[in-house]
C-alpha cells in the first residue's frame, strides 16, 4: 500500500497541459482548444486536457486502421501480444503510486479504494488477458469426411472504447485489455472529467512496446468526441460503460452509420436484501454501508435499494446507522478517509436534487442529505439514508450514482423478489441469509447480472460483470469478454 508521505509528494506534481495520444505520440487537438481539469478535492483546476473533436477522432481512427492493416499487432503471434501486454502490466505496477494519486486528484475516489481498484486492478486485468490469449484455440467442425470445416477467431478491427469517470482505468482496462489481446486496434474516449490516467496508460503502453497506432486516446467532450467515435464509419465496435441515455445514443449512432456492434454496460438500482436469518446482522450492516457509500456511491453495482425483513428492521437499522456514522468522509488523499469526494460539483448538485425530491415525495431522511466540508472548496456529501421509501418514488426507481440509500421493509420472500425485480435495471444484487435453499432460490429469482450472497461487491477478474434489462448487454471481465472482440470465420474446405 502507498504511504502518506508518497501521497503528499505526488499530490503536488505538476501535470500541465495534456495532449491527445494518437499514432504513438502526443499532439494538440485540431482546434487547439483545451478543457480545464478541476479537482473535486478542492474545486481548483490543476491541469488541462485537449478538447478533441471530430477531426481528431478521424485521425485516431485512421491511425488505428492503418496499424490494424499493417498487421504488426493484429497478425502478430499471440505470444508476442502476451509479452507486450505483460510488460505493460509490469509498468503500471512500477508506476502504481503515481497513477493512483493522479486518478484521485482527477475524480476524488478515496485513495485506499482507488489504489486497488484503479492501477492495481488494471494491471491485473491486462495480465489476465495477456496470459489468456495464447490459450484460445480455433475449432474443427464435426463434418462429413470429404470436407474440413475450420472455425477461426479473428480480431474485429478498430474498437472504440468510451468509459465513465468513476473508475476510468479499471473499466477502461476491462475493455482495452481483451480488445488488444485479441489483436484489435483501439481508440479510447475517456470521460471528460477524469482523463489523465488513461492518457498515462497509453504512454506506458508505448513504452512497453505496443506499436504506434494500436492504442490511441482522444480526450474531449462526450457530445463531440464521443459522438464522432460512435458515428465513425470505420469503427467496427464500441465498448461503452456509462449512463442509459448515452447508451441509447450509441445504438442510434450505430444505426445511422455502419451498424457497428455496440456493447453497453449501463446503470443500476441494485437491491440489497437482508433476511431475518442473515448470519451476522452487524457484519451485514457494515458491508451494506460500504456497498453504497464507498467512492461516494459512484459505483455502478452500488447496493442503492436496501430491503430489510420487518422482524429485524429496527435492529438492522441501528447497526447500519452506526456503521455509516463511523465512515469518515474527507480528503481522498488522506489515508484516514473512508469516503472521498463526489467527482464534480455538477454531480453533487444532482445528488442533492435527488435528496430534495425524496423529501418532497415523503421519504424520511434518517441521516445525511447535505453537502459537507464546504470550506475545502471541494465536493463532499454526507452519506445519506432515507427510509419509508416506496416503489413509486424517484429514489426507488432512478439511479442516483451518489451516496444516497433508500430503505424499504418486506415481510415475505415473495415480496422481496417482487420489490427486487420492480426496476428497469438488472445489474447487481445481494441476499443475506443463513438458509442455503433461500439463497439458491433468490439467486434464480432475482433478475440481475450478479447476485451476491452474504457479501456485497468484491468480485475479481475471473467472473463476468454486466447487466440485464436496461443495465445493458455484453459482459466485461472473464474469458467471456474476449468473445466480444473476436469474430468467427469459417473455412469450408473440400478434401
Ligand atoms: P455518461 O454516460 O454521462 O458518460 C460516459 C461516457 O460517455 C463519458 O466518457 C462521456 O464523455 C461519454 N459521452 C457522453 N455523451 C456522449 C455522447 N453523446 N456520445 C458518445 N459518448 C458520450 O456517464 P457518467 O456520468 O460518466 O457515468 C455514470 C454512469 O455510468 C452511471 O449511470 C453508472 O451506472 C454507469 N456505470 C456503469 C458501469 C457498469 O459496469 N455497468 C460502471 C460504471 C458506471
Amino acid at each position: 500500500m502507498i504511504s502518506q508521505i508518497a501521497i503528499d509528494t505526488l499530490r503536488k506534481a505538476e501535470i500541465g497541459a495534456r495532449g491527445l495520444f494518437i499514432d504513438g505520440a502526443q499532439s494538440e487537438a485540431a482546434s487547439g482548444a483545451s478543457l480545464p481539469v478541476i479537482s473535486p478535492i478542492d474545486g481548483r483546476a490543476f491541469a488541462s486536457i485537449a478538447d478533441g473533436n471530430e477531426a481528431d477522432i478521424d485521425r485516431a481512427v485512421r491511425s488505428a486502421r492503418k496499424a490494424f492493416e499493417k498487421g504488426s499487432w493484429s497478425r502478430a503471434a499471440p505470444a508476442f501480444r502476451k509479452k507486450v501486454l505483460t510488460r505493460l502490466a509490469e509498468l503500471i505496477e512500477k508506476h502504481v503510486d503515481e497513477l493512483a494519486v493522479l486518478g484521485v486528484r482527477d475524480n476524488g475516489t478515496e485513495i485506499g479504494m482507488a489504489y486497488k481498484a484503479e492501477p492495481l486492478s488494471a494491471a491485473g486485468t491486462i495480465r489476465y488477458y495477456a496470459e489468456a490469449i495464447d490459450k484460445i484455440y480455433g475449432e474443427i467442425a464435426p463434418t462429413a469426411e470429404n470436407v474440413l470445416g475450420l472455425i477461426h477467431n479473428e480480431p474485429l478491427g478498430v474498437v472504440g472504447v468510451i468509459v465513465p469517470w468513476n473508475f476510468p482505468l479499471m473499466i477502461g482496462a476491462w475493455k482495452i485489455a481483451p480488445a488488444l489481446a485479441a489483436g484489435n486496434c483501439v481508440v479510447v474516449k475517456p470521460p471528460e472529467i477524469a482523463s489523465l490516467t488513461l492518457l498515462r496508460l497509453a504512454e506506458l503502453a508505448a513504452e512497453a512496446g505496443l506499436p504506434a497506432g494500436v492504442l490511441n486516446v482522444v480526450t474531449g467532450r462526450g457530445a463531440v468526441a464521443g459522438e464522432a467515435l460512435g458515428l465513425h464509419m470505420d469503427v467496427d465496435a464500441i465498448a461503452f460503460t456509462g449512463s442509459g441515455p448515452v447508451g441509447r445514443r450509441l445504438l442510434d449512432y450505430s444505426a445511422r452509420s455502419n451498424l457497428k456492434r455496440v456493447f453497453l454496460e449501463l446503470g443500476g438500482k441494485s437491491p440489497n436484501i437482508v433476511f431475518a436469518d442473515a448470519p451476522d446482522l452487524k457484519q451485514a450492516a457494515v458491508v451494506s454501508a460500504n456497498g453504497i457509500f464507498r467512492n461516494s456511491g459512484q459505483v455502478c453495482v452500488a447496493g442503492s435499494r436496501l430491503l430489510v425483513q420487518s422482524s429485524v428492521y429496527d435492529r438492522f437499522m441501528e447497526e447500519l446507522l452506526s456503521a455509516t456514522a463511523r465512515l469518515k468522509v474527507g480528503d481522498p488523499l488522506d489515508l484516514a478517509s473512508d469516503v472521498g469526494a463526489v467527482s464534480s460539483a455538477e454531480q453533487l448538485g444532482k445528488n442533492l436534487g435527488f435528496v430534495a425530491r425524496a423529501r418532497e415525495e415523503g421519504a424520511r431522511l434518517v441521516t445525511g442529505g447535505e453537502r459537507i466540508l464546504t470550506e475545502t472548496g471541494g465536493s463532499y456529501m454526507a452519506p445519506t439514508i432515507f427510509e419509508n421509501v416506496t416503489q413509486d418514488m424517484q429514489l426507488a426507481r432512478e439511479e442516483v450514482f451518489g451516496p444516497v440509500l433508500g430503505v424499504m421493509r418486506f415481510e415475505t420472500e415473495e415480496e422481496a423478489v417482487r420489490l427486487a425485480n420492480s426496476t428497469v435495471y438488472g445489474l447487481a444484487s445481494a441476499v443475506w441469509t443463513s438458509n442455503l435453499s433461500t439463497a439458491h432460490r433468490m439467486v434464480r429469482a432475482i433478475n440481475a447480472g450478479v447476485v451476491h450472497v452474504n457479501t456485497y461487491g468484491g468480485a475479481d477478474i475471473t467472473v463476468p460483470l454486466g447487466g440485464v434489462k436496461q443495465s445493458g448487454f455484453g459482459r466485461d471481465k472473464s474469458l467471456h469478454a474476449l468473445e466480444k472482440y473476436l469474430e468467427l470465420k469459417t473455412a469450408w474446405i473440400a478434401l
Side-chain angles (χ1 to χ4, degrees):
M1 185 56 190
I2 191 167
S3 71
Q4 192 64 53
I5 296 173
I7 295 172
D8 292 340
T9 308
L10 286 163
R11 74 184 298 162
K12 294 186 205 117
E14 275 299 319
I15 309 298
R18 303 303 317 267
L20 310 170
F21 194 89
I22 299 178
D23 211 18
Q26 281 210 38
S27 60
E28 275 198 2
S31 66
S34 62
L35 299 168
V37 180
I38 295 167
S39 179
I41 298 176
D42 55 11
R44 298 212 187 103
F46 69 100
S48 70
I49 50 167
D51 187 11
N53 65 15
E54 196 183 339
D56 300 302
I57 287 288
D58 188 52
R59 191 158 68 84
V61 174
R62 282 171 197 275
S63 149
R65 177 63 62 190
K66 195 175 84 192
F68 185 78
E69 278 170 4
K70 192 169 163 201
S72 53
W73 184 256
S74 53
R75 293 197 296 275
F80 171 73
R81 299 205 290 260
K82 169 179 169 172
K83 203 164 137 192
V84 173
L85 290 174
T86 303
R87 220 181 287 143
L88 173 57
E90 287 162 4
L91 281 173
I92 293 171
E93 282 158 353
K94 188 172 153 198
H95 293 272
V96 61
D97 289 4
E98 173 207 333
L99 282 160
V101 173
L102 185 64
V104 173
R105 291 174 78 188
D106 221 358
N107 75 353
T109 304
E110 54 276 7
I111 184 79
M113 178 180 241
Y115 188 81
K116 288 190 210 137
E118 283 280 273
L120 279 188
S121 146
T125 298
I126 291 167
R127 184 171 279 117
Y128 177 86
Y129 289 106
E131 284 171 358
I133 201 62
D134 62 354
K135 295 159 193 80
I136 307 280
Y137 289 76
E139 294 166 30
I140 301 176
T143 58
E145 260 196 4
N146 60 341
V147 287
L148 181 60
L150 299 180
I151 304 167
H152 296 273
N153 285 306
E154 295 193 336
L156 308 180
V158 176
V159 173
V161 169
I162 304 179
V163 289
W165 39 256
N166 57 339
F167 295 106
L169 204 50
M170 173 177 81
I171 297 173
W174 289 345
K175 300 167 192 310
I176 296 167
L180 290 180
N184 298 283
C185 295
V186 172
V187 177
V188 183
K189 208 305 279 169
E192 46 271 66
I193 65 166
S195 297
L196 298 174
T197 50
L198 283 166
L199 283 168
R200 188 74 183 105
L201 177 78
E203 287 172 359
L204 294 175
E207 194 180 325
L210 199 73
V214 174
L215 177 63
N216 307 276
V217 179
V218 179
T219 52
R221 286 163 292 157
V224 179
E227 176 172 299
L229 191 59
L231 282 170
H232 203 288
M233 291 299 288
D234 204 25
V235 170
D236 298 289
I238 296 272
F240 173 77
T241 293
S243 63
V246 176
R248 284 168 199 270
R249 279 176 193 262
L250 288 164
L251 292 173
D252 176 53
Y253 299 153
S254 167
R256 280 161 52 201
S257 57
N258 61 344
L259 293 178
K260 59 179 68 64
R261 293 156 197 220
V262 177
F263 304 110
L264 301 177
E265 297 289 352
L266 308 174
K269 193 77 210 176
S270 301
N272 180 19
I273 305 164
V274 181
F275 282 97
D277 67 351
D280 179 346
L281 277 188
K282 187 170 179 180
Q283 164 73 358
V286 170
V287 176
S288 299
N290 283 324
I292 175 65
F293 297 129
R294 293 300 301 277
N295 199 17
S296 299
Q298 302 164 134
V299 177
C300 55
V301 296
S304 55
R305 284 189 299 146
L306 176 64
L307 313 183
V308 186
Q309 198 155 25
S310 280
S311 57
V312 291
Y313 186 88
D314 292 341
R315 205 147 53 91
F316 186 79
M317 286 305 284
E318 205 176 298
E319 295 290 358
L320 180 72
L321 277 172
S322 88
T324 303
R326 283 196 299 274
L327 291 174
K328 181 176 179 295
V329 182
D331 180 349
L333 286 173
D334 181 343
L335 282 169
S337 299
D338 300 303
V339 176
V342 172
S343 63
S344 66
E346 191 196 351
Q347 186 64 31
L348 176 60
K350 278 190 199 161
N351 296 347
L352 295 174
F354 271 93
V355 169
R357 175 93 177 262
R359 284 179 133 150
E360 276 163 37
E361 291 184 340
R364 193 175 91 81
L365 181 65
V366 187
T367 186
E370 60 194 356
R371 179 178 179 190
I372 53 172
L373 306 172
T374 36
E375 68 284 2
T376 61
S379 318
Y380 297 88
M381 182 166 171
T384 299
I385 301 176
F386 278 99
E387 58 180 3
N388 297 349
V389 174
T390 53
Q391 202 46 50
D392 53 327
M393 293 180 187
Q394 182 198 37
L395 190 57
R397 288 181 283 107
E398 294 178 28
E399 181 184 45
V400 180
F401 217 57
V404 185
L405 177 66
V407 190
M408 295 174 169
R409 293 168 188 258
F410 69 90
E411 304 291 337
T412 63
E413 188 177 318
E414 293 69 35
E415 189 185 3
V417 170
R418 186 173 49 73
L419 286 171
N421 288 339
S422 297
T423 168
V424 297
Y425 294 113
L427 189 56
S429 59
V431 181
W432 299 82
T433 175
S434 300
N435 185 319
L436 195 59
S437 303
T438 308
H440 280 297
R441 275 197 306 274
M442 292 300 283
V443 167
R444 293 210 178 151
I446 295 175
N447 211 354
V450 57
V451 184
H452 302 95
V453 178
N454 295 333
T455 185
Y456 204 101
D460 69 17
I461 187 67
T462 57
V463 289
L465 176 91
V468 298
K469 300 200 279 182
Q470 291 182 34
S471 290
F473 45 83
R475 292 288 181 271
D476 280 332
K477 302 170 52 188
S478 82
L479 292 180
H480 292 287
L482 275 170
E483 293 156 17
K484 296 192 297 189
Y485 305 103
L486 288 167
E487 185 75 272
L488 296 179
K489 181 188 273 179
T490 299
W492 186 255
I493 304 165
L495 298 178

